[in-house]
């Protein structure tokens, strides 16, 4: 079962699972996802994850043995202004989903977590054993779900893997999926929208961070590599059903906002207009992954760890999306 499987990362995970031979049922309320984003080989159930009857009915009908949980709210600045939305959508709803999994005998649970758990990390790159001190409700809501999974795995025969994402970008290289949500806040998505004329500029939030050019530095991971990590994590949970894991998902290298925009300029042979503004609430200056644990634990190796390649795939999807929507 893939919750949020009609959304950006979830739809890529569905593709990776199907390509690996899994049968997949998607649960998505389509608030931000799209039914057309779900591959036709999967079954789509339109429901909220806290709808116990719908979720448990789907689990039992389809013989679900594992859950990949992507459903939730993800915009950091919004979490600062509307924290209760994030504790409802990310924490309360996740609790209901975990309870349904336990009730239906699901043995394995993979959770879409975040590097926002680390807050203003004192060192970079950040490792999984560093303090988790989120500086925004988005990060806190995800941390609370990790804590629930830890406790539930002790009390019940369910193991889990919490994958802490850094900045996810790009699109399926085969053009089957990509980031389609309106009003996206992710830099590369915004930049390719500007490159295709959907926006007339890109706003750079903060130029006074303690980074090489003063703009925020992030570790950008291709969404297809991230989806592959989920399938590898599922295999690991099945192989060792008494073990649970928490792992960073990133490449271990960071790029600044200006470096990303320069890469988009190179790929498109255009110059995107940059407009500079104050820092946003809840944004850290630098977040780069120490990915040593995932490389040591799983047979996963990045296949798309090239910034310009990520931009090219995102750009190709953006152009295809314009055709889909007309």
């Amino acid at each position: 079962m893939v919750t949020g499987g009609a959304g950006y990362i979830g739809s890529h995970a569905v593709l990776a699972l199907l390509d690996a031979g899994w049968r997949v049922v998607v649960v998505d309320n389509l608030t931000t996802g799209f039914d057309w984003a779900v591959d036709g080989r999967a079954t789509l159930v339109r429901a909220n994850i806290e709808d116990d009857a719908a979720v448990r009915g789907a689990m039992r009908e389809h013989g679900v043995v594992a859950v990949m949980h992507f459903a939730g709210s993800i915009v950091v600045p919004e979490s600062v202004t509307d924290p209760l939305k994030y504790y409802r959508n990310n924490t309360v709803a996740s609790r209901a989903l975990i309870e349904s999994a336990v009730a239906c005998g699901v043995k394995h649970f993979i959770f879409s977590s975040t590097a926002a758990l680390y807050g203003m990390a004192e060192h970079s790159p950040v490792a999984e054993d560093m303090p988790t001190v989120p500086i925004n409700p988005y990060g806190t809501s995800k941390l609370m779900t990790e804590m629930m999974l830890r406790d539930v795995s002790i009390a019940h025969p369910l193991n889990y893997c919490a994958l802490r994402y850094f900045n996810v970008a790009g699109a399926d290289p085969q053009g089957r999926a990509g980031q389609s949500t309106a009003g996206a806040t992710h830099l590369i998505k915004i930049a390719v929208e500007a490159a295709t004329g959907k926006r007339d500029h890109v706003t750079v939030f903060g130029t006074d961070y303690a980074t090489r050019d003063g703009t925020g530095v992030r570790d950008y991971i291709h969404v297809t590599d991230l989806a592959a990590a989920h399938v590898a994590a599922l295999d690991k949970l099945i192989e060792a059903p008494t073990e649970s894991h928490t792992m960073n998902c990133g490449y271990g290298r960071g790029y600044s906002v200006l470096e990303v925009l320069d890469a988009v300029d190179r790929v498109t042979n255009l110059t995107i207009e940059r407009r500079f503004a104050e820092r946003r609430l809840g944004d850290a200056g630098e977040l780069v992954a120490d990915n040593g644990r995932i490389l040591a634990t799983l047979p996963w190796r990045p296949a798309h760890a090239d910034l310009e390649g990520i931009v090219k795939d995102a750009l190709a999807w953006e152009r295809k999306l314009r055709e889909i929507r007309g």
Side-chain angles (χ1 to χ4, degrees):
M1 176 175 285
V2 179
T3 71
Y8 174 41
I9 303 173
S11 64
H12 287 81
V14 169
L15 289 172
L17 287 164
L18 292 167
D19 291 348
W22 284 90
R23 290 186 299 115
V24 178
V25 56
V26 171
V27 176
D28 199 302
N29 63 11
L30 302 182
T31 298
T32 56
F34 305 92
D35 54 3
W36 51 261
V38 179
D39 188 281
R41 294 171 290 171
T43 300
L44 173 62
V45 175
R46 183 171 183 174
N48 294 319
I49 60 171
E50 62 268 39
D51 182 340
D52 294 347
V55 170
R56 296 181 189 191
M59 286 178 171
R60 291 176 176 129
E61 178 182 351
H62 296 280
V64 169
V65 297
V67 170
M68 286 190 185
H69 178 31
F70 299 93
S73 299
I74 61 170
V75 182
V76 169
E78 182 190 42
S79 79
V80 176
T81 58
D82 191 2
L84 290 174
K85 173 181 177 179
Y86 280 69
Y87 292 123
R88 180 183 66 243
N89 289 354
N90 293 356
T91 309
V92 176
S94 293
R95 182 212 165 276
L97 176 66
I98 295 167
E99 186 173 50
S100 290
V102 170
C104 293
V106 174
K107 301 298 184 186
H108 315 293
F109 199 106
I110 297 177
F111 177 50
S112 166
S113 194
T114 174
L117 271 64
Y118 298 114
M120 296 290 190
E122 294 183 3
H123 306 286
S124 185
V126 293
E128 294 86 350
D129 58 0
M130 290 179 66
T132 47
V133 282
I135 59 173
N136 52 63
Y138 167 66
T140 304
S141 70
K142 291 284 193 173
L143 178 59
M144 293 169 74
T145 301
E146 282 197 17
M147 295 168 71
M148 286 191 289
L149 284 168
R150 178 198 64 199
D151 295 342
V152 169
S153 71
I154 294 169
H156 299 280
L158 178 146
N159 67 340
Y160 73 92
C161 182
L163 294 175
R164 295 176 176 171
Y165 308 166
F166 284 67
N167 280 52
V168 188
D172 175 52
Q174 298 178 46
R176 297 174 295 174
Q179 192 168 5
S180 308
T181 307
T185 59
H186 295 84
L187 176 61
I188 291 178
K189 169 69 170 177
I190 290 171
V192 296
E193 286 182 347
T196 55
K198 189 172 181 180
R199 298 171 183 260
D200 60 6
H201 71 280
V202 173
T203 302
V204 178
F205 294 98
T207 58
D208 58 347
Y209 289 107
T211 60
R212 50 188 169 267
D213 61 20
T215 64
V217 170
R218 296 291 184 271
D219 188 334
Y220 294 89
I221 179 172
H222 195 294
V223 66
T224 297
D225 277 340
L226 182 62
H230 283 73
V231 177
L234 175 56
D235 290 341
K236 183 67 174 179
L237 292 181
I238 294 169
E239 172 191 313
T242 61
E243 298 177 4
S244 293
H245 304 274
T246 299
M247 294 181 282
N248 288 335
C249 286
Y251 293 150
R253 176 176 179 180
Y255 293 95
S256 73
V257 174
L258 294 181
E259 288 170 338
V260 170
L261 296 179
D262 288 346
V264 177
D265 285 351
R266 290 193 299 272
V267 169
T268 61
N269 200 28
L270 299 169
T271 301
I272 296 170
E273 181 182 346
R274 289 102 159 125
R275 296 183 187 174
F276 299 95
E278 297 297 316
R279 300 182 184 188
R280 294 181 299 190
L281 289 173
D283 274 356
E286 179 169 339
L287 271 178
V288 175
D290 178 337
N291 62 1
R293 181 181 291 182
I294 192 170
L295 295 176
T297 306
L298 303 180
W300 174 84
R301 294 296 180 270
H304 305 277
D306 172 70
L307 180 60
E308 290 192 12
I310 293 172
V311 170
K312 287 176 183 176
D313 287 340
L315 183 65
W317 176 256
E318 195 61 36
R319 289 170 173 159
K320 182 172 182 177
L321 192 59
R322 292 180 70 176
E323 296 174 7
I324 293 172
R325 292 176 171 165

